[in-house]
Amino acid sequence: MGGSPQFDIRLLGEPVVTVAGSPIDVDTRKAIAILAYLAVEGPTSRDHLLAMLWPEASSDRARATLRRTLSSLRSGIGKEHLDSDRDRVALTGDIDVDTATFDAEIASTHQHGHDPADVCPECITHLDRATGLYRGDFLQGFAVRDAPEFEDWVRTVGEALRLRLGEALHRLAMARAAVGDYPRALAAVGRWIEIDSLHEPARRLLMLLHAWAGDRPAAMEAYRAFVAILDRELGVSPLEETSELYEAILDEDLPPPPGPRRRTRAHPPRGRPATTGLLDREDELARLRLALDSVEQRGTVVALTGEPWMGKTRLLEELGAIAQARGETVVMGRASRMEQALPYGVMSQIIEPALSVLEGREIELPSWVTIELARLIPRLAPGSRPAGPDRLGDLRFLEAVHELIRLVSSVGPMMLAVDDSQWLDTASARLVAFLTRRVSALPVLVLLAIRTGEKTDPIVTEISAHADLTVSLAPLDTRQLEGRVDAERAGAIIEASGGIPLLVLASLDSETDEVEGPEILHYIETRLRGLSDLARQVLAAASVLSGIRDIPILRETSGRTEEELVEAVEELISAGLLREIPAGGTFGFTLDAVERISYESTSLIRRRLLHERAAHALEALPRAYDDAPLAAAVAAHHHGAGSPHAAEWYRRAGDLARNVYANDEAKTMYETALALGGEDPGELHLALGELAIARGDYQAAMSELRSAASQTKGAVLSRVEHRIGEVHRLLGRFDLAVEAFARAEVEHEAAAALYADWALLHHRTGSPEALEMAEKALAAAARSGDRKVMSRAHDILGVVEPDPTRAMAHLDMALELAGEAEPERMAALNNKARLLAEIGNLDAATRLVEEALALATSTGHRHREAALRNHLADLHHQAGREDRSREALTEAVAIFSEIDAGGWEPELWLLIHW
């Protein structure tokens, strides 16, 4: 359009539109809105403009308003620059749009014959121009009334432009640093931080640049300033990577600064690297197959170890495919770094598929196993909830899982694998340890893939150290590439990739004279760069969800339709960023770094929005109120969204975790709820105190209970005093225990339980008040009308009553009231047996203990089974049956040795009366 005046549109920052150097004159802001939309999106239909800018107006009125607006716009910019007919509107002629120039300058840096992640001197010029065009955010300060769709479009475009600016500034800063120009490198990263002051990758780069420039104090100050901002604005700490970088700066243990990049021949972007088998992992696979083949003779524990990206996951999947092809049962779970606080998060992945094996073969679980597993899988006991946590029941729950695995393996050989075991939550780690100690008697291969160089739960470290077989994966070397490429190229690939199998595969598939750069960050950024906005948004939602791979939850979190989600996931799989997991019809990240980089590159505002959506989607699931890992995930997402509901969900997750004996995780949940200002802090401190009692940390228990006492009153305070008395009793401070029980009596809602404990305390100290207190327990139990409570009261009376006849009557009544309630019946049988032994009826006492022992064995009460076997050994010894006594004592010691002594009070090991 020669001879037409220069037409400039500036949309970065406050919109400025000029023709021949003079601002245009239009009478409505919606004219500028139309101009901006056409400049960015190109020609569009009148109907789309009507729906976007006048959604509430009638059709006739909206069309008339659009005609007037277009007429005003045509007068302002000149009729040669606006083309419109009955259906379509477009800008024409020579138009300079700053957003288009911005993108063109960045795109031109990918055409200089080098890797897109690299920067050459010519690139610096283009990046300078691009970043110089960015006067401010897209349409900054500009808004139109009653046009929410237009506002959504502005936010979407603005966010995409900010991301591209951040990438450009990052590349520019690294390029300046590569030539030693640290002042201008710092200026570039400073602009990046101005865009998003809470963006941690930018803050880490600022620290690195100061350190590389030799200004260590400035690097340290940059870290401390960022910590202060996070604390002030969000009340959180920096990510682990940021803190680790700070420590590396203190130790002067930095990564090398960037240097000039070498040129490679440009090649078009490719999709996912072609898979070329397991390279030379056939030897390791053969060793694993031998272990799998041997499980019919003896169960085996295998540790598969190696640094990140060495191919552990691919080996697990290959072995699993082999086992499945042979008709064997394969159950696999995967731990996640971000799920380490979720109790039994991994084991729930194991238990559900194991149950499905039995359901498919109509094998029925024992009722006690079903009840225990319902603590983790509520659907197993619909309409009812298992009893609350019993300090003696932790081992019973573990036994239930063991029984499930035993039944599954009775069908045929079984492979039970856990990937990324270094991130197992403590509760799952304890359960895996429990299973590995018993696997030799089952046709089961337990295979743990463990990443070396990571902070690992000590339990997992212990399992690995005592595994039957350890298979270690090292980086590949040129030998693995023999026959695939020539020796010279093989050496170049190994040098560039560091021998990381996935990068080696990508290099083999690149079809270039030289291979891609060695940095995994470059590998990922190359694939991120070509993504559509839709795929980026879905990837951000997936990174926020972390270990949760449920497709409907991803749809709710991303805010996209089902078709859009399918399109985006397919694109991400094609780009090699996600991988399909056939077993569950879901997906996972190909590399952990993909998840981390995607999360960090998402703006704080969008992360909070995605966390909020995720929290609402997850809490809408029926299991959210019964499933400990799911409740913990809801809490974490509310926390990430800055929601005030986070504290109440952390408390709920703590209660559920405690109910399945995941006490370490429950402690973390309760402490987080307290830190977030959760309601009823006294109740939270009480729960923490009870957890401390359970693990035998009486000093911590007393500290928590005193905090609880200072922040509560009424019935809750009575419960606190009851627990304080229990701690004093366990520590042998009987006088203090009596005082605490006396204070607890005032408003205690479970007086029978208090009086029963009090009576046992008096009995232990030889006080004559034991009988009176036991009778008060019986009176309180009678008022409650609860048969099990009454059974315990009669049981305690049978212990403290000095008259053998009356004591026996109470114990008989305790048995009658207990009915089929196993804990109460076992207690009464045990105590009646002691009374019979005291009067010399050893044979009858032995029969009662054997009956109680049968109950303990069938219900999985391992602690009580050990105590009863110990009791049985005493009875056989008194009757002169020494061989049987030694046999029973050996069995008792064997069971006690399986128990983590650090987690149980010394008093409970005795279990003389309960």
Side-chain angles (χ1 to χ4, degrees):
M1 306 295 288
S4 62
Q6 178 65 32
F7 182 15
D8 294 312
I9 302 176
R10 300 287 173 261
L11 304 176
L12 292 170
E14 184 180 355
V16 176
V17 182
T18 61
V19 176
S22 300
I24 67 169
D25 182 19
V26 292
D27 60 2
T28 172
R29 296 176 69 84
K30 289 189 177 179
I32 299 297
I34 292 173
L35 192 60
Y37 190 84
L38 295 174
V40 173
E41 303 293 344
T44 192
S45 68
R46 285 178 176 255
D47 287 342
H48 183 69
L49 292 175
L50 291 170
M52 183 172 63
L53 293 170
W54 291 278
E56 303 298 329
S58 65
S59 177
D60 291 342
R61 181 179 177 185
R63 289 185 180 277
T65 305
L66 176 60
R67 284 196 298 272
R68 287 195 300 272
T69 304
L70 291 176
S71 176
S72 173
L73 186 57
R74 185 178 290 107
S75 298
I77 66 176
K79 61 183 180 180
E80 69 272 23
H81 290 307
L82 186 65
D83 180 24
S84 66
D85 54 28
R86 292 175 58 87
D87 300 317
R88 176 178 163 279
V89 181
L91 295 178
T92 61
D94 185 13
I95 307 171
D96 183 4
V97 183
D98 60 350
T99 55
T101 306
F102 173 81
D103 284 336
E105 293 287 358
I106 293 175
S108 66
T109 65
H110 301 156
Q111 301 168 9
H112 298 158
H114 56 69
D115 188 283
D118 295 342
V119 178
C120 66
E122 191 177 349
C123 286
I124 293 178
T125 302
H126 289 292
L127 291 171
D128 271 334
R129 290 174 185 165
T131 56
L133 286 169
Y134 203 96
R135 299 177 296 116
D137 285 339
F138 183 66
L139 292 181
Q140 187 171 314
F142 178 82
V144 294
R145 296 177 57 187
D146 304 323
E149 186 176 333
F150 175 77
E151 296 296 333
D152 286 343
W153 173 76
V154 170
R155 280 193 293 271
T156 300
V157 173
E159 184 173 325
L161 286 166
R162 276 195 303 275
L163 283 174
R164 292 200 284 278
L165 175 65
E167 292 171 0
L169 289 169
H170 177 258
R171 294 178 65 208
L172 183 57
M174 293 295 284
R176 294 290 191 196
V179 296
D181 189 354
Y182 285 104
R184 284 201 279 182
L186 287 165
V189 79
R191 280 202 64 195
W192 191 10
I193 291 171
E194 287 176 6
I195 300 167
D196 185 353
S197 64
L198 299 177
H199 194 57
E200 288 208 33
R203 293 285 183 171
R204 286 198 293 273
L205 181 56
L206 177 64
M207 294 162 59
L208 271 173
L209 289 172
H210 279 305
W212 283 333
D215 192 351
R216 208 159 62 114
M220 295 162 63
E221 179 56 34
Y223 172 77
R224 287 193 287 265
F226 183 49
V227 170
I229 290 172
L230 286 177
D231 184 63
R232 182 174 65 250
E233 298 193 15
L234 301 178
V236 299
S237 301
L239 293 174
E240 185 177 348
E241 294 91 328
T242 307
S243 298
E244 288 176 352
L245 175 59
Y246 175 68
E247 293 173 3
I249 291 171
L250 291 177
D251 295 337
E252 297 186 348
D253 183 21
L254 294 173
R261 306 289 187 176
R262 63 180 181 176
R263 296 175 67 86
T264 63
R265 194 176 73 192
H267 58 278
R270 302 186 63 83
R272 187 176 186 176
T275 57
T276 55
L278 287 168
L279 293 178
D280 199 35
R281 297 301 190 201
E282 284 85 356
D283 289 344
E284 291 87 348
L285 180 61
R287 296 177 67 193
L288 294 175
R289 290 189 66 166
L290 284 174
L292 183 64
D293 293 340
S294 69
V295 298
E296 290 192 42
Q297 286 74 44
R298 185 182 186 278
T300 303
V301 178
V302 177
L304 178 62
T305 65
E307 293 180 354
W309 314 308
M310 287 297 108
K312 297 182 291 297
T313 298
R314 296 186 66 210
L315 269 176
L316 284 186
E317 292 173 346
E318 185 74 14
L319 188 67
I322 291 170
Q324 286 180 323
R326 301 193 320 200
E328 298 173 0
T329 300
V330 177
V331 178
M332 300 181 72
R334 185 175 187 178
S336 167
R337 184 197 300 272
M338 297 181 70
E339 289 186 334
Q340 285 178 284
L342 305 187
Y344 291 112
V346 175
M347 291 315 299
S348 58
Q349 300 174 37
I350 298 293
I351 292 172
E352 282 279 12
L355 287 169
S356 67
V357 173
L358 299 185
E359 291 165 356
R361 295 179 178 266
E362 299 183 353
I363 298 176
E364 189 171 335
L365 287 171
S367 59
W368 73 269
V369 174
T370 301
I371 291 171
E372 286 302 315
L373 293 183
R375 297 179 182 277
L376 199 59
I377 313 294
R379 69 174 178 81
L380 294 176
S384 65
R385 291 175 60 93
D390 174 353
R391 255 178 275 143
L392 301 180
D394 186 15
L395 198 58
R396 187 168 69 253
F397 176 76
L398 304 184
E399 284 285 344
V401 179
H402 176 260
E403 179 65 9
L404 170 65
I405 299 302
R406 188 191 68 78
L407 288 171
V408 172
S409 63
S410 70
V411 174
M414 177 182 183
M415 171 180 162
L416 192 162
V418 181
D419 200 3
D420 281 336
S421 296
Q422 73 280 351
W423 292 325
L424 272 174
D425 59 278
T426 301
S428 292
R430 290 179 60 243
L431 184 44
V432 170
F434 184 87
L435 295 175
T436 57
R437 290 198 295 269
R438 292 155 181 75
V439 74
S440 61
L442 304 175
V444 177
L445 173 67
V446 176
L447 180 52
L448 303 183
I450 305 169
R451 177 183 295 187
T452 56
E454 289 278 348
K455 183 179 180 181
T456 304
D457 191 295
I459 299 173
V460 176
T461 302
E462 183 74 9
I463 296 172
S464 176
H466 293 90
D468 300 306
L469 172 67
T470 298
V471 177
S472 299
L473 302 184
L476 303 177
D477 58 33
T478 54
R479 290 173 300 173
Q480 280 85 25
L481 301 185
E482 289 177 1
R484 299 176 185 269
V485 293
D486 59 55
E488 183 179 354
R489 177 114 194 273
I493 288 175
I494 295 300
E495 179 184 359
S497 66
I500 296 173
L502 190 60
L503 295 184
V504 171
L505 289 172
S507 301
L508 286 171
D509 192 46
S510 67
E511 298 177 359
T512 64
D513 293 336
E514 296 186 55
V515 298
E516 295 183 2
E519 297 173 315
I520 190 67
L521 183 63
H522 290 175
Y523 172 80
I524 295 168
E525 287 182 341
T526 300
R527 282 152 179 78
L528 287 174
R529 190 170 294 112
L531 294 179
S532 66
D533 287 342
L534 172 64
R536 279 181 176 273
Q537 291 174 19
V538 170
L539 189 66
S543 70
V544 163
L545 286 169
S546 185
I548 299 171
R549 305 175 183 90
D550 187 278
I551 295 295
I553 297 299
L554 177 61
R555 186 177 64 246
E556 293 290 328
T557 302
S558 66
R560 292 294 179 171
T561 65
E562 188 168 353
E563 284 127 0
E564 288 175 327
L565 185 66
V566 170
E567 178 186 340
V569 169
E570 287 179 346
E571 180 181 349
L572 292 167
I573 290 173
S574 176
L577 299 171
L578 296 183
R579 64 185 180 89
E580 294 180 278
I581 301 175
T586 59
F587 64 90
F589 291 97
T590 53
L591 296 171
D592 298 322
V594 175
E595 179 180 349
R596 175 177 57 81
I597 291 170
S598 175
Y599 187 83
E600 290 178 352
S601 63
T602 304
S603 68
L604 177 63
I605 293 175
R606 175 161 288 278
R607 284 206 304 262
R608 284 188 165 184
L609 171 64
L610 294 173
H611 277 300
E612 183 178 10
R613 288 178 180 170
H616 291 317
L618 292 173
E619 70 183 9
L621 297 175
R623 298 181 293 116
Y625 293 83
D626 297 309
D627 183 291
L630 187 54
V634 173
H637 284 299
H638 274 305
H639 195 180
S643 166
H645 299 299
E648 65 180 89
W649 274 99
Y650 274 119
R651 176 175 175 174
R652 180 176 289 118
D655 291 342
L656 292 170
R658 190 177 169 198
N659 196 44
V660 293
Y661 311 109
N663 290 344
D664 290 340
E665 289 80 0
K667 178 175 179 288
T668 300
M669 299 299 167
Y670 289 140
E671 288 174 342
T672 306
L674 270 174
L676 293 176
E679 295 181 0
D680 298 324
E683 288 269 22
L684 290 168
H685 281 296
L686 171 58
L688 286 167
E690 290 173 335
L691 289 173
I693 293 172
R695 65 178 184 269
D697 188 347
Y698 304 127
Q699 184 176 354
M702 192 60 77
S703 175
E704 294 290 354
L705 293 171
R706 284 170 179 159
S707 294
S710 68
Q711 299 180 62
T712 189
K713 57 185 178 180
V716 178
L717 179 57
S718 291
R719 286 167 49 207
V720 173
E721 293 289 4
H722 187 171
R723 294 292 175 262
I724 289 174
E726 189 176 354
V727 173
H728 284 312
R729 178 181 66 82
L730 293 169
L731 294 175
R733 302 167 183 166
F734 300 131
D735 291 342
L736 294 176
V738 170
E739 292 175 10
F741 285 159
R743 293 193 298 270
E745 187 180 13
V746 180
E747 296 186 58
H748 208 300
E749 294 178 336
L754 171 65
Y755 293 143
D757 287 342
W758 205 340
L760 277 179
L761 172 63
H762 284 314
H763 182 66
R764 290 282 304 277
T765 59
S767 170
E769 297 179 48
L771 182 59
E772 178 186 351
M773 196 60 68
E775 288 172 345
K776 290 179 70 172
L778 180 60
R783 289 193 296 271
S784 74
D786 188 317
R787 290 178 63 88
K788 288 192 285 188
V789 174
M790 293 174 65
S791 173
R792 181 162 188 259
H794 279 290
D795 180 51
I796 298 302
L797 270 166
V799 172
V800 304
E801 170 61 60
D803 182 275
T805 303
R806 286 197 291 269
M808 189 65 72
H810 283 300
L811 290 169
D812 286 337
M813 181 57 69
L815 282 168
E816 181 181 340
L817 290 168
E820 299 302 316
E822 293 95 347
E824 287 74 15
R825 187 166 188 82
M826 276 188 283
L829 287 168
N830 176 64
N831 291 328
K832 183 175 180 179
R834 290 195 178 279
L835 185 57
L836 287 171
E838 287 175 8
I839 62 177
N841 195 343
L842 295 175
D843 290 339
T846 301
R847 287 193 295 273
L848 292 182
V849 172
E850 287 173 341
E851 181 184 347
L853 188 56
L855 280 174
T857 304
S858 66
T859 57
H861 282 275
R862 296 288 277 171
H863 288 79
R864 288 170 183 164
E865 180 185 348
L868 287 163
R869 290 192 185 279
N870 194 48
H871 189 180
L872 189 60
D874 288 341
L875 293 174
H876 285 316
H877 174 68
Q878 292 177 52
R881 298 185 287 265
E882 295 301 334
D883 288 345
R884 296 180 68 183
S885 176
R886 281 193 296 271
E887 180 183 347
L889 185 60
T890 300
E891 291 170 338
V893 171
I895 297 173
F896 274 131
S897 68
E898 296 171 355
I899 302 167
D900 179 5
W904 304 95
E905 308 86 75
E907 303 290 336
L908 292 178
W909 284 69
L910 301 178
L911 281 181
I912 296 170
H913 300 293
W914 69 84

